[in-house]
Amino acid sequence: MLEGKTAVVYGAGTISGAVAEAFAREGARVFVASRGAERLAALAERIRAAGGQVEAAQLDALDERAVDEHADEVVRRAGSLEVSFNAINHNDVQGKPMWEMSLEDFEAPVITGLRTSFITWRAATRHMIKQGGGVIISFGGEGPPLRDWYLGGLQAGLDVIETMRRQLATEAGKHGVRVATMRTGGVPEGIPDDFPAKAKIEESIVGQTLLGRAATREDVGNVAAFIASDRARTMTAATVNVSCGALID
C-alpha cells in the first residue's frame, strides 16, 4: 500500500515501533527518530531483518531545530516526505486523583503533547505543501477517562492535540495534506511491564470493549498503514476508531 512513499516515525516504543514496521512491510522507506538509542537500533534491526527499508536517527522530538533539520534531511535523501506519525512518550504521571497531583505533573503531558505535535507536524506540513500533499497521523484521540484508573493530565493533553488536528486539517487540506487521528481506547501491549497496576489497567481496557478484546500493536500498525495509503485518500479531519468498541462513535 505504501510503495514509493517516505514515512517519518517519531518514537521507537511499542506503538511507534508497530507503525514503523507496518509502514516498511507495506513498502515505505521509513525514517525512525527517537531519543533512546538502544530501542531505536533494535527497531531498525527488526525492520531490516524483515526486508524493509529503514534509516534511524537519534533525535529529541521536542527540539524544534533538530526536528526541522531531520525533516529537511529526509527530503534531501528520499526526495519527499509523504507520511508523519508521532507517538513519543508524553511524560504523563498516572495513578493519582487530580486533587493529589502537583500542577507540574498534571500539565506535563499537555505541554509535551502540544509541543511535539506542533513541532513535528509543522516540519512535515511545510514539505508536504511543497510537494502537493501528504498524511499526518495522530495517536490517542478524545474519549472518556478510565473509570477505574487515574489518568492525570493524559486525556487533557490528548484533547488539546485533537483541537490542533482539526485546525491543521482545516488549514492544510487545500494543499492536499490529510490529517487523521487513531483512537484506540488503550493498547495493553503499549503499557510497560513494570508500570504500576498494568494488570488492572489492561482488565479495565478489555472490559470496556464490545468485542471482549483490545487492539494489539499489529492492529494499530495495520490501520496506520491504511490511513497513510492512497486507499484512504478521502479521509481527513477524521478519527479512526480501532478501540474494539470501547469508544462508541
Side-chain angles (χ1 to χ4, degrees):
M1 290 191 291
L2 301 178
E3 195 70 39
K5 295 185 183 296
T6 301
V8 177
V9 176
Y10 298 96
T14 303
I15 300 303
S16 293
V19 170
E21 290 174 62
F23 285 172
R25 187 168 61 247
E26 292 296 336
R29 181 176 178 180
V30 183
F31 289 77
V32 291
S34 173
R35 289 189 302 180
E38 189 173 329
R39 274 188 166 186
L40 185 65
L43 172 59
E45 180 56 35
R46 290 199 304 273
I47 292 174
R48 292 191 186 102
Q53 301 179 73
V54 63
E55 296 186 41
Q58 197 165 1
L59 174 75
D60 183 352
L62 292 165
D63 184 327
E64 289 185 78
R65 181 175 177 179
V67 169
D68 286 343
E69 290 178 350
H70 179 258
D72 292 345
E73 178 66 9
V74 168
V75 173
R76 189 187 70 79
R77 293 174 64 85
S80 61
L81 197 173
E82 281 84 13
V83 187
S84 179
F85 179 91
N86 184 339
I88 71 166
N89 189 325
H90 286 184
N91 299 320
D92 51 299
V93 177
Q94 301 184 23
K96 293 182 180 180
M98 290 176 66
W99 57 90
E100 292 182 4
M101 294 189 71
S102 68
L103 172 61
E104 183 180 15
D105 283 348
F106 187 85
E107 70 181 6
V110 180
I111 294 173
T112 302
L114 183 156
R115 285 180 57 84
T116 190
S117 296
F118 181 85
I119 291 168
T120 58
W121 294 1
R122 184 182 63 184
T125 301
R126 287 172 172 173
H127 288 289
M128 291 175 180
I129 288 175
K130 291 177 184 178
Q131 66 196 28
V135 185
I136 293 173
I137 304 174
S138 177
F139 183 80
E142 295 169 328
L146 293 174
R147 296 180 182 179
D148 301 320
W149 182 251
Y150 301 116
L151 290 174
L154 177 61
Q155 193 61 56
L158 295 178
D159 288 347
V160 168
I161 294 171
E162 279 299 86
T163 299
M164 294 169 61
R165 186 265 303 166
R166 293 187 182 99
Q167 181 173 345
L168 181 59
T170 301
E171 294 178 0
K174 63 185 177 183
H175 299 287
V177 179
R178 298 193 290 111
V179 191
T181 298
M182 297 183 67
R183 302 170 71 219
T184 68
V187 181
E189 286 179 297
I191 305 172
D193 291 335
D194 59 353
F195 192 86
K198 175 179 178 175
K200 182 178 181 180
I201 297 173
E202 181 172 357
E203 182 180 358
S204 178
I205 291 172
V206 174
Q208 294 184 58
T209 69
L210 301 180
L211 300 180
R213 55 180 172 80
T216 65
R217 65 187 301 275
E218 184 177 1
D219 292 328
V220 171
N222 289 338
V223 174
F226 169 75
I227 298 170
S229 76
D230 291 338
R231 296 182 186 181
R233 69 190 185 94
T234 60
M235 185 182 297
T236 192
T239 61
V240 182
N241 189 331
V242 290
S243 71
C244 295
L247 304 173
I248 298 177
D249 294 326

